[in-house]
Amino acid sequence: MKAEEPQTVYLRDYQPPAFLIDYVDLRFELFEDGARVHSRLTIRRNPEAEPDQRDLVLNGEDLELESLVLDGRPVEGFEADERTLRIEKVADQFLLDVVTWIRPQDNTCLEGLYKSSGMFCTQCEAEGFRRITYFPDRPDVMARYRTRIEADKGAYPILLANGNPVDWGDLDGGRHQVTWEDPFPKPSYLFALVAGDLVEQRDEFVTGSGRTVELSMYVEARNQDKCDHALSSLKKAMRWDEEVYGREYDLDRFMIVAVDDFNMGAMENKGLNIFNSSCVLASPETATDATYEQIESIVAHEYFHNWSGNRVTCRDWFQLSLKEGFTVFRDNQFSADMGSPTVQRIDQVNMLRTAQFAEDAGPMAHPVRPDSYIEIGNFYTLTVYEKGAEVVRMIHTLLGPDLFREGSDLYFARHDGQAVTTDDFVRAMEDASGRDLSQFRLWYGQAGTPQLRVTDSFDAEGRSYTLSVEQSCPPTPEANHKTPFHIPFRVSLLDSQGQPLVLDAEGNTEQVLELTEQSHRFLFTGISERPTPSLLRGFSAPVKLEYPWTRDQLGFLCSHDTDGFNRWDAGQKLAIDVIQSLLNGHDTAVDSRLIDAFRETLADTSLDRAMVARMLTLPSVSYLTELTEEADVAAIHQTRQRLVDELAGALRQDLLECYHRNAPEDPYRFDPEQSAARALRNMVLKLLTATGDDQGRTLATTQFEQAANMTDELEALRALVNSPFEPEREQALTRFYQRWQHDPQVVEQWFAVQSESPWVGDLNRVTQLLEHPAFDWKNPNKIRMVVGVFAGRNLLHFQRSDGAGHRFLGEQVRRLDARNPQMSAALVRPLARWRQYAPHLRDSMRSELQNIMASKDLSRDLYEVVFKSLKQ
Ligand code: BES
Ligand code: ZN
């Protein structure tokens, strides 16, 4: 236990900042043994603050204070502790000069200024700037920054910061300097600096109004040929934001930097986005389609923040979803426009239902706008991001695209240059549309996943059909009782041919029913036969849906629903029902209707092949676990595997034909057509090999040897690894490593293929991977790919009945905590769901959490997650 209990921060305690900063003038002297940071702040009292706050209080962590001068005179009356610096009774306006000494070379938590493969870089969100200098490190203090960087010219030829370069030149002793100025006021979390030996890839973009923006991507020389995709994605995103949201870029330069050691995926620093190498570098030989897709969406995401986050930012960190939820919604829309909207939606919802629903049902559940936290780093969650995006999406659904765009325009116009709240966002949507969203706001303040219970009845004589809907929401840590949500519920009624019925005088075949009460009845008249309802189309709200589906109905929807998402979902529901019935003994044989549905899907050449690939994917063990109380993971895995075997056996011929029909095209291009064909073919290959089919073995080994791109090579490897072919799978793993050991991003994939695999990724293997020469405790990607993937995706081995998987995770989490608390707190999360599991698993998970709780010097980050997980 900590000597000092970490403090909780509450939203209800929010107060405007006592002081505002107009200018920040920074000078960095970078050396090998540390860095000296000179900061000159132009400060004035905030006229809107409470008048009783006389003292200036600044945040600071792990800083060595070298000097503190106020209006030219050394400060005498100040107090400093571990986290703050207080200067008593200051004037209403003054200049403060602060000099601090920091040690980037020893910074292992990767927040603030640190070193990654020889370069200096920063990560300031959420509270990293306070590790650079003393500052009111909160997002509602927005200032103009000028940044001068001085460093050795040979080792650090490139010196970057936000904005535009305004001055540069050589200094004594082989050093040089570059000075940058950012004309836009910004919060400290958007500050960035990079110094290193990097090469620059240039491009340009002409904005809608005709301004030319210089685009630069900076990478280490060995990565020079992996920049094209990110740059072309960036240009697409810039155009898209102009066309769809009317948002033009505002500076003359936009820079992207790739760094190897990064806690997150990427960061939207003003004019200088910093990316984890794994989320930005790509070439056909080294990156898979999935990576190409991820890069396109993350480059867009960070770019979109320039408006949704930077020009309009968050008042406080409780409002995080203001920028993240909205920006995820925007990047989802962008990805939908770049490829298949249906497939994009399927992937999105699949993730939401598997992981966010689990979070919402566990001990760390919190509202999209949390009301308290111990460590804000723990609240960059699926709830804030993904559920937050769903909330914005529901507003889009309720208002329609045109009014939504008007609301967005009003939001940006009204709040440009301000730090605001999610409430301000909703108010702009209300004011532009004239709609009352007061009940809708509950989505921001109430945690938990609402559940809809739907029943129906058909009156043949009266030719009417009734849908009854009841909503409820389980208790979550912040509240037992929930007020009904405002839920957009999109529905159609299908006739026996699968045609949607006309539902109103305008000829609409689809309606968005609005649920606002605990229960509703919707009456549809003029209906001559019992329809099959297509409910919650496109997943119109982040809720759990219950309806007494028959398997015939699900099979029918799986082949007929005109809503692509629901068509996929019907297949998933059918598979889930079959698996659950086998598990609980209701069924002994696999229902042939499921096999028929799969066969039909495989034969349907009118379907997008990426869609077929999704439809042939059985629900994951993680999702099945999430749906099961007292989950017994081994049994779930076994039953799912049985289904794979039977499906692959029954469809063998169809699968082989499909594989051959979809031969790869040359040369590799990342486009929707080609990647869909690869996705389908590789899905089919996986089914063929998983059962130990001999022909599958031949196809996989041949594909592995002959593949001309990383997608086909890695998927062949994955197919072999997840098969009973023992010598082949080890040989392939060895070959692959030999081929790619020089490329860290590919090696990361190689780690993940093993640690996620129920076939090879047992505890022995994962322990060996930690000892592998390519593994590195300083590199978050490697840790994520081995430890994170094992605990998150390889439930069979992580949930071993003797608890050894839990102990393994606990050990790694404790080992990491002193070095990188953000990472240790993220890795421990799978244990938090202990209540979901069968008693023997549950007990061992809990006791591992207790072990962690009992260890000395827990970080605040880890403490918060473990403490809340154990709390009643
Ligand atoms: N602002 C975040 C990055 C961030 C998060 C920095 C938390 C520090 C702490 C960035 O915009 C972001 O959301 N990145 C995501 C990827 C995105 C596509 C959802 C990430 O890094 O995972
Ligand atoms: Zn973001």
Side-chain angles (χ1 to χ4, degrees):
M1 197 47 142
K2 288 214 76 149
E4 203 186 319
E5 283 278 306
Q7 292 283 301
T8 300
V9 186
Y10 295 93
L11 168 59
R12 60 168 187 267
D13 292 343
Y14 173 82
Q15 290 205 324
F19 293 88
L20 301 178
I21 314 254
D22 293 315
Y23 295 100
V24 181
D25 201 337
L26 296 169
R27 180 173 153 231
F28 287 84
E29 297 180 82
L30 303 179
F31 304 103
E32 294 312 307
D33 62 343
R36 183 167 292 110
V37 185
H38 306 253
S39 153
R40 165 168 290 188
L41 306 178
T42 308
I43 305 182
R44 70 188 153 92
R45 207 170 278 282
N46 180 5
E48 263 134 60
E50 300 291 325
D52 59 327
Q53 302 175 286
R54 303 307 301 170
D55 301 350
L56 174 72
V57 182
L58 303 176
N59 307 101
E61 275 175 45
D62 284 346
L63 302 173
E64 221 171 276
L65 182 61
E66 290 194 342
S67 107
L68 189 62
V69 171
L70 197 152
D71 282 337
R73 275 186 296 275
V75 180
E76 257 130 53
F78 75 87
E79 278 168 48
D81 63 22
E82 292 280 276
R83 296 172 57 99
T84 54
L85 175 88
R86 174 185 293 268
I87 306 178
E88 280 167 20
K89 302 193 193 74
V90 293
D92 288 346
Q93 211 167 340
F94 53 96
L95 276 185
L96 187 68
D97 286 289
V98 188
V99 182
T100 48
W101 177 255
I102 53 180
R103 294 169 204 283
Q105 73 282 3
D106 301 330
N107 178 342
T108 57
C109 67
L110 313 186
E111 295 173 73
L113 180 63
Y114 64 95
K115 288 196 88 173
S116 170
S117 30
M119 67 203 262
F120 288 91
C121 62
T122 54
Q123 172 53 43
C124 293
E125 187 177 0
E127 298 181 334
F129 194 72
R130 62 186 63 184
R131 299 176 157 275
I132 293 174
T133 183
Y134 284 102
F135 198 79
D137 191 13
R138 42 187 289 170
D140 54 356
V141 173
M142 296 172 83
R144 295 214 173 87
Y145 284 68
R146 184 185 166 94
T147 308
R148 175 179 158 115
I149 311 166
E150 303 175 8
D152 184 84
K153 192 171 182 174
Y156 309 100
I158 301 288
L159 304 175
L160 310 172
N162 316 85
N164 304 306
V166 292
D167 186 42
W168 50 88
D170 290 347
L171 306 171
D172 289 346
R175 294 170 68 80
H176 71 144
Q177 69 92 10
V178 180
T179 304
W180 294 77
E181 227 169 55
D182 182 356
F184 293 95
K186 65 166 174 288
S188 50
Y189 82 87
L190 290 174
F191 170 80
L193 170 163
V194 169
D197 187 1
L198 303 170
V199 297
E200 180 185 9
Q201 293 288 314
R202 298 181 71 116
D203 206 329
E204 58 178 44
F205 177 81
V206 180
T207 67
S209 71
R211 279 187 312 108
T212 301
V213 181
E214 305 283 340
L215 311 178
S216 301
M217 183 158 165
Y218 294 92
V219 298
E220 289 169 60
R222 63 189 161 88
N223 293 323
Q224 201 160 11
D225 56 350
K226 292 183 169 185
C227 297
D228 294 355
H229 179 59
L231 282 167
S232 83
S233 302
L234 174 61
K235 288 183 286 179
K236 285 185 197 167
M238 293 177 88
R239 189 64 71 213
W240 187 90
D241 212 15
E242 290 182 347
E243 288 171 1
V244 180
Y245 279 86
R247 299 291 116 205
E248 200 175 296
Y249 187 61
D250 51 9
L251 285 163
D252 299 331
R253 309 173 50 110
F254 187 85
M255 299 175 279
I256 286 179
V257 180
V259 306
D260 284 344
D261 305 298
F262 202 72
N263 279 345
M264 303 288 292
M267 177 64 207
E268 70 265 25
N269 318 299
K270 184 75 185 189
L272 178 55
N273 289 2
I274 297 181
F275 277 70
N276 187 322
S277 297
S278 72
C279 295
V280 75
L281 300 175
S283 68
E285 298 73 39
T286 60
T288 61
D289 289 334
T291 301
Y292 269 83
E293 213 170 279
Q294 189 199 5
I295 291 171
E296 185 176 82
S297 90
I298 190 163
V299 166
H301 176 99
E302 305 311 337
Y303 173 73
F304 295 156
H305 270 316
N306 190 58
W307 276 97
S308 49
N310 302 2
R311 289 288 287 258
V312 181
T313 195
C314 302
R315 187 192 72 173
D316 54 71
W317 291 119
F318 298 102
Q319 317 299 327
L320 181 57
S321 196
L322 175 77
K323 74 176 179 83
E324 296 302 348
F326 188 24
T327 304
V328 170
F329 173 69
R330 277 150 54 67
D331 83 53
N332 285 179
Q333 283 182 301
F334 169 75
S335 299
D337 285 354
M338 296 299 116
S340 153
T342 304
V343 169
Q344 143 75 21
R345 189 67 187 142
I346 288 170
D347 292 348
Q348 188 63 24
V349 173
N350 206 14
M351 183 252 287
L352 185 86
R353 282 203 301 216
T354 306
Q356 195 279 325
F357 281 16
E359 185 169 276
D360 234 352
M364 286 293 289
H366 54 276
V368 169
R369 183 195 54 222
D371 20 49
S372 70
Y373 59 76
I374 291 177
E375 168 53 54
I376 184 57
N378 285 327
F379 285 80
Y380 286 76
T381 58
L382 293 158
T383 300
V384 166
Y385 274 67
E386 308 301 331
K387 186 176 182 180
E390 292 298 316
V391 171
V392 175
R393 191 172 196 276
M394 287 189 283
I395 298 179
H396 186 273
T397 302
L398 291 169
L399 267 55
D402 297 340
L403 288 175
F404 182 86
R405 168 65 194 271
E406 284 178 38
S408 158
D409 287 351
L410 179 60
Y411 167 72
F412 288 122
R414 190 182 268 177
H415 299 298
D416 191 9
Q418 298 177 1
V420 302
T421 63
T422 55
D423 211 45
D424 293 318
F425 178 80
V426 177
R427 191 166 314 109
M429 290 292 166
E430 283 180 318
D431 291 349
S433 67
R435 288 214 49 167
D436 177 359
L437 296 174
S438 39
Q439 186 184 4
F440 185 85
R441 281 183 172 79
L442 289 169
W443 282 106
Y444 287 97
Q446 289 189 143
T449 307
Q451 174 139 16
L452 300 184
R453 190 162 287 147
V454 180
T455 53
D456 59 352
S457 61
F458 176 62
D459 173 3
E461 241 160 71
R463 291 165 44 90
S464 72
Y465 176 76
T466 309
L467 275 178
S468 305
V469 188
E470 258 190 64
Q471 64 162 301
S472 61
C473 182
T476 49
E478 96 295 350
N480 282 323
H481 175 77
K482 312 276 171 162
T483 312
F485 291 86
H486 182 177
I487 300 172
F489 186 53
R490 195 188 289 277
V491 301
S492 284
L493 304 177
L494 307 183
D495 71 15
S496 54
Q497 313 306 305
Q499 288 306 308
L501 303 176
V502 172
L503 299 178
D504 58 22
E506 281 104 68
N508 290 311
T509 55
E510 187 176 81
Q511 268 185 11
V512 178
L513 307 175
E514 295 192 22
L515 313 177
T516 51
E517 311 282 328
Q518 199 176 334
S519 67
H520 288 266
R521 292 167 78 83
F522 298 99
L523 179 72
F524 300 87
T525 53
I527 311 269
S528 52
E529 55 168 344
R530 185 182 246 293
T532 304
S534 170
L535 304 172
L536 198 69
R537 303 190 112 201
F539 204 68
S540 62
V543 300
K544 294 184 182 172
L545 174 67
E546 221 185 274
Y547 172 84
W549 303 106
T550 66
R551 287 188 187 171
D552 283 333
Q553 281 178 316
L554 291 174
F556 174 80
L557 290 172
C558 181
S559 49
H560 290 102
D561 201 324
T562 50
D563 181 85
F565 173 83
N566 270 16
R567 195 166 165 183
W568 168 81
D569 198 30
Q572 297 292 299
K573 289 193 160 82
L574 182 57
I576 290 165
D577 191 46
V578 168
I579 292 172
Q580 287 178 336
S581 306
L582 290 168
L583 263 170
N584 63 27
H586 281 302
D587 285 357
T588 49
V590 173
D591 193 326
S592 61
R593 282 173 288 194
L594 182 66
I595 296 170
D596 293 341
F598 268 59
R599 184 179 288 115
E600 235 181 274
T601 302
L602 210 42
D604 188 342
T605 47
S606 73
L607 275 173
D608 172 7
R609 286 175 287 187
M611 172 83 174
V612 178
R614 281 6 176 238
M615 293 183 76
L616 293 179
T617 307
L618 289 175
S620 65
V621 173
S622 306
Y623 186 48
L624 292 163
T625 300
E626 155 63 22
L627 295 175
T628 317
E629 270 166 48
E630 310 229 321
D632 177 349
V633 175
I636 290 174
H637 171 83
Q638 222 170 27
T639 309
R640 184 184 184 276
Q641 190 56 39
R642 171 175 170 199
L643 207 57
V644 171
D645 288 345
E646 295 211 15
L647 282 167
L651 303 175
R652 184 168 182 275
Q653 218 42 52
D654 312 67
L655 291 169
L656 286 170
E657 275 162 31
C658 179
Y659 184 86
H660 292 298
R661 259 204 317 276
N662 289 284
E665 276 177 63
D666 220 26
Y668 173 95
R669 260 179 299 119
F670 172 70
D671 63 30
E673 268 289 297
Q674 273 203 15
S675 65
R678 284 187 289 266
L680 176 53
R681 184 163 180 265
N682 287 319
M683 180 59 223
V684 162
L685 183 66
K686 216 162 19 194
L687 284 170
L688 285 168
T689 47
T691 61
D693 187 290
D694 250 341
Q695 212 162 339
R697 180 203 325 240
T698 312
L699 292 175
T701 42
T702 312
Q703 180 175 321
F704 178 68
E705 288 308 328
Q706 295 177 355
N709 61 73
M710 185 46 72
T711 307
D712 289 334
E713 186 173 340
L714 191 72
E715 288 310 317
L717 175 67
R718 197 170 258 135
L720 287 170
V721 163
N722 294 291
S723 78
F725 312 131
E726 272 186 54
E728 285 87 350
R729 66 192 192 204
E730 293 306 328
Q731 282 157 9
L733 280 167
T734 308
R735 281 275 289 146
F736 189 88
Y737 184 74
Q738 282 166 350
R739 259 182 232 161
W740 294 110
Q741 51 185 309
H742 59 277
D743 189 300
Q745 280 79 53
V746 182
V747 171
E748 282 160 22
Q749 299 296 321
W750 179 79
F751 277 125
V753 163
Q754 298 174 74
S755 46
E756 76 185 2
S757 168
W759 297 84
V760 308
D762 59 11
L763 214 46
N764 257 336
R765 175 63 58 98
V766 186
T767 309
Q768 279 167 18
L769 292 179
L770 294 182
E771 304 292 318
H772 192 277
F775 188 83
D776 177 3
W777 279 105
K778 291 194 284 300
N779 181 246
N781 292 0
K782 302 292 186 304
I783 301 169
R784 259 191 291 271
M785 289 309 187
V786 177
V787 185
V789 164
F790 174 72
R793 277 193 245 157
N794 190 354
L795 293 201
L796 181 69
H797 292 295
F798 174 58
Q799 294 291 354
R800 249 170 74 151
S801 58
D802 63 0
H806 309 143
R807 287 193 293 278
F808 169 83
L809 182 63
E811 198 183 312
Q812 310 319 324
V813 163
R814 273 170 291 165
R815 175 197 300 217
L816 190 62
D817 191 44
R819 166 178 274 288
N820 188 334
Q822 239 177 44
M823 282 286 298
S824 64
L827 284 181
V828 80
R829 286 197 182 228
L831 287 174
R833 280 290 276 162
W834 59 276
R835 287 184 182 86
Q836 180 75 16
Y837 290 86
H840 64 291
L841 300 174
R842 192 195 296 162
D843 292 347
S844 119
M845 291 171 87
R846 183 179 44 198
S847 88
E848 197 48 46
L849 286 166
Q850 286 162 340
N851 267 342
I852 298 174
M853 198 65 193
S855 33
K856 278 213 239 347
D857 298 324
L858 281 196
S859 68
R860 303 149 46 81
D861 311 56
L862 185 55
Y863 170 87
E864 177 171 34
V865 179
V866 175
F867 175 75
K868 290 183 176 172
S869 300
L870 288 169
K871 214 160 75 177
Q872 246 340 285

